[in-house]
Amino acid sequence: MSKEISPLQKLRYEYKPKLPKALRGTNVSVSFGAAGTPDGDGEKIKELFPNTFGQKLVTITEGGDAVPNSPIKVGVVLSGGQAPGGHNVIAGLYDALKNANPANKLYGFLKGPAGIMKGNYVELDDEIIDSHRNTGGFSMIMSGRDKITTDEDLSNCKKNFDALDLDGCVIIGGDDSNTNAAVLAEYLRAVGSKTCIIGVPKTIDGDMKNEYIETSFGFDTACKTYSELIGNICRDATSAVKYWHFVRLMGRAASHVTLECGFQTHPNITLVSEEVSAKNTTLGEIVDYIVDVIVKRAEQGKNYGVLLVPEGLPEFISDIKTTIDEISAILGDKEKELAAMSETAEKIAFVSGLLSEGGKKVYASLPASAQQVLLTRDSHGNVPLSQVETERLLIDLVGNKIKQLKAQGKTNAKFAAQNHFFGYEGRCAMPTNFDADYCYSLGAAAAVLVRAGLTGYTVNVLNMTKDSDEWVAGGVPVTMMLCIETRKGKDTPVIKKALVDLEGKPFKYFAANRDEWALNDCYTFPGAIQYYGPSEVCDITSKTLALEKN
Ligand code: FBP
């Protein structure tokens, strides 16, 4: 039985992603720029990465002293949360390898880094690649969140790379996975392995960016998918005129997704975690701000509105953040004791008993479901905040406050709320033209870096607010982006997460407009992602990138 595909899917299989000029042919070379050292913690990073520290920035250029063309074997793995465009990175890598030399081979490691460690892989061929071109999701080879940490993990990777005789392996992941790529590259260099490791900046969260990485792939599509839905909700709010919609948006730490959706739709309230943190705002003060807007809108006869809240908010509220840090230290110190407990309630009581007086109070004020989530860490030590229902918590607290004000005769506001969480809905959407082109370029550039024998690099594409003719691809040494953070109570090298910069152009634009958006109905309706039609509709970058670059 043939598998039915949608008409759009069929057309997208045929879409030819745009590439930077230098990557359109096979005669490419690499040129080296300045040697990269991280902003801070340089000495510590140098000690940890003696073999890969201090490498130079790389730009891929047309012609020149071309990179070698002898046949090579390359592996690829998808790591962490899904992000639209992952399949195009693999397709770009595959096409570039095959165009350079048809004898080149590409292997996909299955279900994330665990596939490398266990030696589970599939050889990728035309049929697999062609049926995944320009599609969303990571279903081609699947993903996983395992982390390559111990000496045994590292030597298992080497063993499996050697068995396949791999010249290179491309790790498609976020900040943690690219850090992992650096650790693996360093290990392989130290033991004299020929396998080069190249990272690719992926995450819908948009927080893997810096001077050399303009945006992580997937951010554009995910935000546009959520923004379509938020725009629809704004229209519903002004049609039914009886609900406040509280929408939580994915993004583990940074508020980039929420801010971008705010730019796209102009909701009445957009909470930005980084601002909350900078101002030491408490949960009570956040509730007061929301109530103030609700009351003022009610005075204009508008008992409806839309609020956006970033998933990462709890970790940025000063009193909750301190409590999470205390819990992380306890989880590190008392790992064995906690592992021996089977009941969640027992764990909650145990951890609670070890918290400071302040921490105890904050922890006790949270619903049991949130208390439980705060005891969980993923393999990279992160709290799985996508499981904390902050929007419901805010609805409850705001509802209570409005009741109090009503009882005191201070408002007539009617508050009926709907809650939403948009996260998983956007992570596997069909990539926008921007993400499809960007990802295909990243894959093609990764092939060049491997052919050039470079290791410990994250591939990059610059100039992306311009026409693809002007895009410039290359690589940035991962060690250049590292800093030292405390994870599970230990000093750990990590890629600096780019949080929303309160001095940056995007936030300033938001701050200048938010009061008007709060009280007036300035909603905008981006509609569904368009793949065909005028370029100003189909090829536009995110507003965040446009504001940052202009
Ligand atoms: P990555 O950092 O791996 O790209 O994942 C981002 C993310 O989508 C976050 O926004 C979210 O908090 C998390 O993954 C959800 O994790 P999971 O997929 O394990 O539920």
Side-chain angles (χ1 to χ4, degrees):
M1 198 175 70
S2 70
K3 206 172 155 201
E4 191 179 328
I5 57 168
S6 71
L8 181 62
Q9 201 176 342
K10 186 169 176 292
L11 273 188
R12 291 311 280 171
Y13 283 162
E14 286 152 23
Y15 175 75
K16 297 268 176 273
K18 300 185 263 305
L19 277 172
K21 246 188 184 161
L23 288 170
R24 291 177 199 161
T26 47
N27 192 23
V28 283
S29 53
V30 290
S31 64
F32 292 93
T37 49
D39 284 347
D41 303 320
E43 282 310 309
K44 269 194 182 167
I45 306 288
K46 192 174 174 182
E47 258 169 53
L48 292 169
F49 297 87
N51 294 287
T52 50
F53 187 84
Q55 302 198 96
K56 292 175 174 167
L57 288 163
V58 164
T59 304
I60 297 173
T61 46
E62 237 178 329
D65 199 0
V67 291
N69 228 354
S70 41
I72 53 170
K73 293 179 183 162
V74 180
V76 63
V77 69
L78 290 159
S79 177
Q82 284 68 255
H87 288 156
N88 266 30
V89 177
I90 302 178
L93 175 63
Y94 179 85
D95 290 350
L97 287 173
K98 293 287 180 190
N99 289 340
N101 188 334
N104 287 342
K105 286 185 183 299
L106 180 62
Y107 300 95
F109 287 103
L110 304 174
K111 297 188 185 169
I116 306 182
M117 293 187 273
K118 293 179 187 159
N120 291 337
Y121 64 88
V122 62
E123 184 177 343
L124 299 172
D125 57 19
D126 288 355
E127 195 184 337
I128 300 177
I129 298 292
D130 289 346
S131 59
H132 288 90
R133 289 185 190 276
N134 307 303
T135 58
F138 283 2
S139 50
M140 183 199 297
I141 52 172
M142 298 159 281
S143 187
R145 287 200 183 276
D146 294 277
K147 192 174 177 181
I148 301 162
T149 31
T150 64
D151 289 348
E152 196 188 343
D153 295 342
L154 291 162
S155 85
N156 280 337
C157 292
K158 179 177 181 309
K159 190 182 80 196
N160 294 321
F161 289 159
D162 288 349
L164 278 169
D165 190 30
L166 285 193
D167 296 279
C169 184
V170 176
I171 298 183
I172 304 172
D175 50 343
D176 286 330
S177 308
N178 275 268
T179 305
N180 234 212
V183 172
L184 188 53
E186 173 66 25
Y187 171 82
L188 293 171
R189 268 274 166 94
V191 297
S193 160
K194 72 164 182 174
T195 314
C196 304
I197 303 294
I198 299 296
V200 179
K202 170 236 68 169
T203 178
I204 63 155
D205 293 1
D207 58 6
M208 194 180 158
K209 62 176 172 181
N210 50 47
E211 200 181 335
Y212 305 102
I213 295 177
E214 293 190 347
T215 184
S216 54
F217 81 75
F219 174 76
D220 188 73
T221 311
C223 291
K224 284 175 181 159
T225 304
Y226 304 141
S227 297
E228 180 203 352
L229 300 175
I230 297 164
N232 295 350
I233 283 174
C234 293
R235 191 69 90 185
D236 199 288
T238 52
S239 305
V241 292
K242 62 176 180 181
Y243 288 130
W244 264 88
H245 293 268
F246 281 40
V247 184
R248 175 168 48 112
L249 288 155
M250 212 173 222
R252 190 193 301 285
S255 307
H256 299 297
V257 172
T258 299
L259 198 53
E260 173 67 19
C261 293
F263 294 145
Q264 299 273 353
T265 60
H266 305 175
N268 306 102
I269 299 174
T270 302
L271 299 175
V272 176
S273 305
E274 290 81 348
E275 186 183 27
V276 165
S277 169
K279 292 184 173 167
N280 268 325
T281 314
T282 62
L283 186 55
E285 286 164 345
I286 294 174
V287 171
D288 288 346
Y289 168 65
I290 299 170
V291 169
D292 186 53
V293 174
I294 291 174
V295 166
K296 283 187 178 139
R297 284 180 62 83
E299 282 161 10
Q300 299 174 12
K302 295 188 236 176
N303 286 299
Y304 60 87
V306 177
L307 169 148
L308 305 185
V309 53
E311 170 184 285
L313 183 70
E315 272 195 305
F316 288 77
I317 300 175
S318 54
D319 34 1
I320 298 183
K321 160 99 179 80
T322 312
T323 311
I324 290 176
D325 288 347
E326 282 186 31
I327 293 174
S328 293
I330 296 170
L331 294 179
D333 289 349
K334 306 287 176 192
E335 210 169 337
K336 279 192 194 135
E337 290 88 330
L338 284 156
M341 297 176 196
S342 53
E343 297 299 317
T344 307
E346 193 187 354
K347 289 183 188 176
I348 291 175
F350 176 77
V351 169
S352 196
L354 294 172
L355 289 169
S356 66
E357 275 318 301
K360 223 173 265 178
K361 227 171 156 186
V362 172
Y363 195 49
S365 72
L366 299 172
S369 56
Q371 288 179 333
Q372 185 179 344
V373 174
L374 296 197
L375 294 188
T376 318
R377 298 291 178 278
D378 69 11
S379 54
H380 296 276
N382 301 307
V383 181
L385 284 172
S386 60
Q387 294 167 29
V388 178
E389 296 185 310
T390 319
E391 73 287 14
R392 281 183 194 260
L393 181 69
L394 289 177
I395 288 174
D396 285 352
L397 297 172
V398 165
N400 289 342
K401 184 85 202 240
I402 288 180
K403 254 186 224 154
Q404 276 174 25
L405 293 179
K406 273 183 158 173
Q408 292 162 5
K410 292 185 179 162
T411 184
N412 284 322
K414 290 185 193 125
F415 180 66
Q418 297 289 345
N419 62 290
H420 313 264
F421 171 46
F422 298 149
Y424 300 97
E425 296 81 349
R427 298 201 311 181
C428 287
M430 247 182 228
T432 54
N433 286 351
F434 174 82
D435 271 329
D437 299 346
Y438 175 34
C439 289
Y440 193 76
S441 304
L442 287 170
V448 177
L449 300 189
V450 175
R451 281 172 62 201
L454 297 168
T455 193
Y457 277 81
T458 295
V459 64
N460 69 353
V461 179
L462 302 173
N463 259 355
M464 286 190 297
T465 45
K466 308 245 167 71
D467 189 88
S468 63
D469 272 359
E470 292 179 59
W471 289 11
V472 178
V476 53
V478 186
T479 50
M480 191 173 165
M481 300 183 282
L482 294 177
C483 64
I484 300 289
E485 261 182 24
T486 310
R487 293 266 176 107
K488 286 191 183 168
K490 285 183 202 134
D491 275 359
T492 317
V494 293
I495 290 180
K496 224 185 180 66
K497 264 193 203 303
L499 300 178
V500 170
D501 175 8
L502 302 183
E503 294 304 318
K505 287 178 192 160
F507 182 80
K508 287 200 164 161
Y509 172 75
F510 161 71
N513 284 288
R514 69 172 142 195
D515 290 343
E516 197 187 341
W517 295 351
L519 300 185
N520 304 316
D521 293 0
C522 303
Y523 311 121
T524 46
F525 310 98
I529 292 170
Q530 300 297 309
Y531 300 93
Y532 303 96
S535 184
E536 66 269 25
V537 179
C538 301
D539 296 323
I540 34 172
T541 65
S542 66
K543 298 232 175 195
T544 305
L545 186 58
L547 285 163
E548 278 168 352
K549 293 295 159 195
N550 291 328

